[in-house]
Amino acid sequence: MFFIDTIELEGLGNRHYLAGGTRTAVAVDPPRDFDQVLAAAARRGVRITHVVETHIHNDYVTGGLELARVTGAAYLVPAGAHVSFARVPVADGDTVTVDAGLTLRAVATPGHTPHHTAYVLQEQGTPVAAFTGGSLLIGTVGRPDLVEPRLTEELARAQHASAHRLATELPDETAVLPTHGFGSFCSSAQAEGDATTIGHEKAANAALTTDVDSFVAALLDGLDDIPAYYAHMGPANASGPAPLDLTPPAVADAREIAARLAAGEWVVDLRNRVAFAEGHVAGTFNFEADGKIATYLAWMIPWGKPVTLLADSPGQLADAQRELVRVGIDRPAAAATGAPEDWTVDGALASFPRSTFAGLAERGTDGVVVLDVRRASERASGHIAGSVHIPVHELHGRLGEVPAGTVWVHCAGGMRAGMAASLLDAAGRDVVAVDDGFDAATEAGLAVVA
């Protein structure tokens, strides 16, 4: 008998896995905070004997090296990956014993990276699951453009070949268990569903239903923006990440918060966007703790700039800190919890109004700036006539391009509009945050054009 436990990182859109038998287990693509892996092993009553990486990750800092150290497990990394730490290099066809009658076989699946390796879990020699990392995903594949622009087409073709290799070598009932594809920007397209098999992918995945030239053309045409922080993840993982530190940050009082703002540092309010709009410390930025804080804060903040976190509660602060260490923002410069009145020297707060697309339609778009902060791929499917387009991840560096006047800022659902509104408000602009789904724009009677 074997088990596979799936552990989700919803904020980053990834999954990692613990798989094993009655006594021992393997951890696949663990994140930097691997306590959930240890807890899963404790619940199962198994010892982790192997930790494996499918590839050198571009979207998060791995916990594999430290997990292997803590547990005494063998650390398996694809042989083609250039790393500066001791590990067990894995080549195509290598096998390791996970537990009695349970083995793991390495399958070279280049495409997401040149060295990408999938691992097939075999019970008594029969494949039962494939840990496919960033290779074959649910309905799509991992993007091939994160390593080197000159390799992108070559890797796209390799993705097609790797998908076909898995589909050819594995039985239809084999479970496909990817790391990416649940909201991660490492996925080349939005994946649908929570579970799949080789047989299902044969019928539904474009990599397996389309000829290579058509597949590559469509894949390259659909690639989206790359989060800026990805440039720092690969080098961090290749050099061997330092152990994480989740101890609480130093406490900042109102005077220190004011001083940090005056010094040009980022002070980030983690409260929800409704509360932030109603009252916040002037100059602070809003990245909701319940949103994709790791992705968007890491994408937008100048890398290495000190960040101070303001939170409703110690729990909200701790959750955000955990999210951020996963992407290499290790130690907040300082933090404070409580209410915004506690974070100002004089108790005076800034605010801005919120509205909907119906509110914008009632006001009319003449005489105001309608700012669309969605990605270009989203805007291509329809946008409000006359709107200005600056993706939220570029806005901080392009504030000077926003035309004069009151800015009505929107995204697809409201979260990114809240971020953008906070940036504009901090820059002294009059702003209205449109907290609404974009489908409501047409329903409200606004002119939406392609």
Side-chain angles (χ1 to χ4, degrees), residues 23-56:
R23 301 180 61 187
T24 53
V26 57
V28 182
D29 286 344
R32 199 172 185 192
D33 56 319
F34 50 73
D35 50 341
Q36 292 184 78
V37 185
L38 295 177
R43 286 193 299 271
R44 293 284 187 176
V46 296
R47 180 169 60 92
I48 298 174
T49 55
H50 296 82
V51 178
V52 303
E53 304 281 10
T54 57
H55 59 294
I56 300 300

Side-chain angles (χ1 to χ4, degrees), residues 10 12 81 88 93 131 182 198 201 214 310 325 335 361 369 396 411 417:
E10 186 175 347
L12 290 177
V88 178
F131 300 104
F182 309 96
I198 288 292
E201 292 307 306
S214 300
L310 308 179
V325 297
V369 179
H396 186 255
C411 59

Side-chain angles (χ1 to χ4, degrees), residues 51-65:
V51 178
V52 303
E53 304 281 10
T54 57
H55 59 294
I56 300 300
H57 303 284
N58 287 290
D59 63 329
Y60 68 91
V61 179
T62 182
L65 181 63

Side-chain angles (χ1 to χ4, degrees), residues 119-144:
Y119 298 89
V120 176
L121 188 67
Q122 302 174 145
E123 185 181 38
Q124 304 297 342
T126 300
V128 292
F131 300 104
T132 55
S135 180
L136 187 65
L137 310 184
I138 300 178
T140 184
V141 295
R143 60 193 298 170

Side-chain angles (χ1 to χ4, degrees), residues 12 59-61 229 233 294-295 298 303 323-329:
L12 290 177
D59 63 329
Y60 68 91
V61 179
Y229 73 91
M233 299 297 96
T295 295
W303 197 252
E323 290 274 348
L324 293 176
V325 297
R326 293 171 178 163
V327 293
I329 300 179

